[in-house]
Amino acid sequence: MATGLPQMVGVVGLEVHAQIQSTSKLFSGSHVRFLAPPNSLVSHFDASLPGTLPVLNRRCVEAAVLTGLALNCTINRKSLFDRKHYFYADMPAGYQITQQRVPIAVNGILVYSYFEGHRRNQVVTKSVKIKQIQLEQDSGKSLHDDEQSQTLIDLNRAGVGLMELVMEPEMCCGEEAAAAVRELQLILQALGTCQANMAEGQLRVDANVSVHRPGEPLGVRTEVKNINSVRHLAKAIDYEIQRQMEVLQSAGKVLNETRGFDSKSGNTIPMRDKEGLQDYRFMPEPNLPPLFVYESEASLPAGVDPAQVVLIDRLSAQLPELPSVKRTRLVEKYGMLQEHSFTLVNEDGLMDYFENVVQTAKAEPRKVIGWVIKELMGNLNSQNLKVSQSPISPCALAELINLVEAGHISSSTAKQVFQEMWKAPEKTVGQIVKEQDLWMINDKEELQQICKRIVDSHPEEVQIIRGGNTKVLNKLMGKVQRETKGRTDPVQVRAILEKMVS
């Protein structure tokens, strides 16, 4: 490789297809339901029978506008539908209705963050421009039966409403792209416009990847299609950047092609080339008029019923607290570390759980965070459970924390009790502590007697301590803790032992 040249870098742009959370499809009344029996949710229009016409689903329009507002887009007051022609077995009409020329929303921005540094606790915040958000139909699904050499078609998904979000090529690696998609998922879920479950295909990502030297034109790009998890997205992009760099360093040529990602090998694999750029023969959709949305009731033309149109100000008023605002509020209100605010917001239901505990726990929020992130999430993750499936309620956890704060049980004992609560959620904290005799020993005389027994039975250690090696005192403290099953206050025990061996 020539010396003196700048290092090659990756350039990544994303196209995200988000399935709109709606009970029916974009242009027909057919229901939308995951894992319904094949071809059980197909209207005449979905199957493209002659003479059928599209009827636009208002809910889908509102979802796109709401999403555009959350991503600081300009909402086009007038947008247009187009036909994108291509023949594919699961596209019955031979074209897809989309918004190529004038989409519903343009020029947005997505702010996202990820962690860097040795302990991955330095927050790096970046942003990527959203070129456009367009409404379009999904295609059906082809199921390839290799044994019988046949392809079966399921049209349940045909016509389901999608928002396609096109991001500019402004990211440089898999980690950035994954962080952007994760943030987008959280925003869509907060809005209720898309459930964004990638495992069920509700969010599908295509990554456009190229490499070049800074200052030079962008390189030839490849498109990695239909990536179905955030982790796979990061791996696919990083592999593809590395692959393209190696091709160019060995004097090869990067082909303009579509590739897939093989999650088993971690490699991208060629699917089809794009050498002859496909002509989709875009044309205006003749069966749909322009789509108008209005600023407010005051801006409506005479005679238009406000109940029949989409009003931007009405949707603006519905915008919920977005993830970035939640994180800022958590940091400011509870004085927590930034990385903890990410954990609480990123895990569905965890922030509400934490805030419910804080309301009734008589401990500072930082202590509550420790319990929620380490104990609760540790147990949930080990059993692959969601926050909503936790056997320990926020109220029960607050009760446990309050016993520690009041000095009735030690923090090490509380961790044992937590595990017992997990196994037997029907029992109260008090019942468990009483049954297992875990109350703190606060009686001074009893503590003195226990410490005296330990000191008398360890004369060698006492001699070492008296000789100046005070570290051995920790050993005696450990013995007291073991004998009392952690039911003593370490500060009190240390003070008593120090007095006895001095």
Side-chain angles (χ1 to χ4, degrees):
M1 199 170 77
T3 54
L5 287 171
Q7 191 67 33
M8 277 192 280
V9 294
V11 178
V12 182
L14 300 177
E15 293 169 18
V16 180
H17 290 90
Q19 182 183 312
I20 296 168
Q21 193 173 336
S22 167
T23 52
S24 54
K25 296 183 182 180
L26 184 57
F27 299 116
S28 81
S30 296
H31 279 264
V32 176
R33 197 167 73 248
F34 185 62
L35 291 181
N39 295 311
S40 62
L41 304 173
V42 186
S43 70
H44 293 153
F45 176 78
D46 305 330
S48 199
L49 295 185
T52 55
L53 293 170
V55 178
L56 182 57
N57 179 342
R58 177 174 156 167
R59 156 67 190 163
C60 293
V61 176
E62 289 178 338
V65 172
L66 206 53
T67 303
L69 291 171
L71 294 170
N72 299 297
C73 292
T74 300
I75 308 298
N76 281 326
R77 304 303 188 263
K78 175 186 176 183
S79 59
L80 305 171
F81 287 100
D82 306 284
R83 287 186 181 182
K84 175 183 181 179
H85 291 83
Y86 58 94
F87 173 76
Y88 208 70
D90 55 19
M91 183 66 75
Y95 61 83
Q96 175 194 39
I97 302 177
T98 181
Q99 291 189 309
Q100 176 67 14
R101 293 166 297 155
V102 187
I104 195 159
V106 292
N107 301 333
I109 194 154
L110 171 65
V111 179
Y112 60 94
S113 301
Y114 57 96
F115 293 94
E116 275 188 345
H118 173 58
R119 292 180 56 217
R120 297 195 70 72
N121 59 356
Q122 292 165 21
V123 181
V124 179
T125 300
K126 293 196 171 180
S127 64
V128 59
K129 288 198 270 300
I130 308 273
K131 184 186 175 194
Q132 64 191 60
I133 299 175
Q134 62 199 51
L135 281 164
E136 62 185 31
Q137 301 166 293
D138 206 346
S139 60
K141 196 173 184 182
S142 295
L143 305 159
H144 304 292
D145 182 348
D146 293 335
E147 279 183 27
Q148 305 211 15
S149 299
Q150 63 181 3
T151 295
L152 304 167
I153 307 295
D154 179 8
L155 292 179
N156 279 349
R157 209 175 65 185
V160 166
L162 298 178
M163 294 178 282
E164 182 178 354
L165 297 98
V166 182
M167 297 184 198
E168 297 285 7
E170 295 176 337
M171 291 170 277
C172 69
C173 63
E175 185 174 33
E176 281 195 19
V181 169
R182 183 72 190 110
E183 188 68 11
L184 178 63
Q185 270 184 308
L186 292 171
I187 290 169
L188 295 173
Q189 287 163 349
L191 296 170
T193 57
C194 171
Q195 290 177 325
N197 181 339
M198 293 184 83
E200 292 185 7
Q202 292 162 354
L203 202 75
R204 306 196 290 278
V205 184
D206 301 339
N208 293 305
V209 182
S210 66
V211 298
H212 74 139
R213 297 185 200 283
E216 293 182 5
L218 294 180
V220 174
R221 70 180 168 91
T222 60
E223 183 181 30
V224 187
K225 291 285 281 185
N226 284 336
I227 305 167
N228 64 359
S229 91
V230 171
R231 206 160 43 86
H232 289 170
L233 176 68
K235 284 184 176 175
I237 289 169
D238 288 340
Y239 174 86
E240 187 56 20
I241 289 170
Q242 195 57 41
R243 184 192 72 82
Q244 290 185 22
M245 285 180 179
E246 286 168 10
V247 167
L248 295 171
Q249 281 160 2
S250 57
K253 260 180 78 176
V254 173
L255 302 176
N256 178 217
E257 62 184 351
T258 299
R259 297 175 75 87
F261 177 66
D262 177 9
S263 57
K264 287 194 179 77
S265 66
N267 300 350
T268 63
I269 44 178
M271 286 167 70
R272 55 183 181 269
D273 72 56
K274 287 194 167 191
E275 287 302 317
L277 197 64
Q278 194 165 0
D279 177 10
Y280 288 120
R281 292 185 297 114
F282 282 102
M283 61 171 270
E285 167 54 60
N287 294 324
L288 285 164
L291 168 60
F292 289 96
V293 296
Y294 299 92
E295 189 60 47
S296 62
E297 278 195 38
S299 64
L300 288 180
V304 172
D305 178 1
Q308 299 300 315
V309 294
V310 172
L311 298 175
I312 294 170
D313 67 345
R314 201 185 283 165
L315 291 170
S316 287
Q318 290 175 24
L319 280 171
E321 186 180 43
L322 294 175
S324 58
V325 179
K326 283 181 183 174
R327 291 189 202 105
T328 305
R329 179 170 67 78
L330 286 170
V331 170
E332 288 173 357
K333 187 173 178 181
Y334 301 110
M336 68 175 68
L337 297 172
Q338 248 187 314
E339 62 256 39
H340 288 157
S341 74
F342 274 85
T343 307
L344 291 179
V345 172
N346 288 16
E347 196 64 47
D348 187 29
L350 193 60
M351 189 182 103
D352 290 340
Y353 188 103
F354 164 77
E355 293 204 295
N356 285 336
V357 177
V358 167
Q359 278 172 14
T360 42
K362 298 179 177 73
E364 58 178 48
R366 285 190 174 209
K367 285 186 182 173
V368 176
I369 288 165
W371 280 98
V372 169
I373 290 177
K374 288 181 189 156
E375 308 304 321
L376 179 77
M377 283 312 298
N379 279 34
L380 289 173
N381 290 339
S382 69
Q383 294 181 33
N384 208 12
L385 296 174
K386 295 175 182 167
V387 176
S388 58
Q389 296 170 303
S390 166
I392 298 177
S393 69
C395 190
L397 179 55
E399 206 181 326
L400 177 64
I401 293 169
N402 288 344
L403 285 184
V404 179
E405 288 300 300
H408 295 316
I409 59 172
S410 68
S411 53
S412 58
T413 300
K415 286 175 185 173
Q416 292 173 47
V417 176
F418 185 91
Q419 295 305 331
E420 287 299 319
M421 290 163 71
W422 195 271
K423 288 184 230 158
E426 71 284 355
K427 290 185 181 177
T428 67
V429 179
Q431 276 177 308
I432 293 167
V433 174
K434 191 177 177 185
E435 279 172 18
Q436 303 197 11
D437 191 22
L438 297 171
W439 298 111
M440 282 282 265
I441 300 168
N442 288 322
D443 186 299
K444 278 238 172 109
E445 273 185 37
E446 194 180 343
L447 275 177
Q448 293 268 10
Q449 284 169 8
I450 295 164
C451 290
K452 189 170 186 317
R453 267 204 310 277
I454 297 294
V455 168
D456 290 348
S457 58
H458 293 84
E460 285 175 27
E461 282 83 350
V462 172
Q463 284 306 318
I464 294 166
I465 294 164
R466 285 176 178 157
N469 187 349
T470 53
K471 281 188 180 173
V472 178
L473 192 70
N474 292 336
K475 190 178 174 185
L476 297 184
M477 285 180 68
K479 301 270 183 197
V480 174
Q481 285 290 77
R482 263 195 296 283
E483 184 165 319
T484 60
K485 295 184 191 164
R487 294 187 296 138
T488 52
D489 175 9
V491 177
Q492 267 186 306
V493 171
R494 178 176 278 276
I496 294 168
L497 288 174
E498 279 175 349
K499 210 170 183 182
M500 285 183 174
V501 300
S502 61

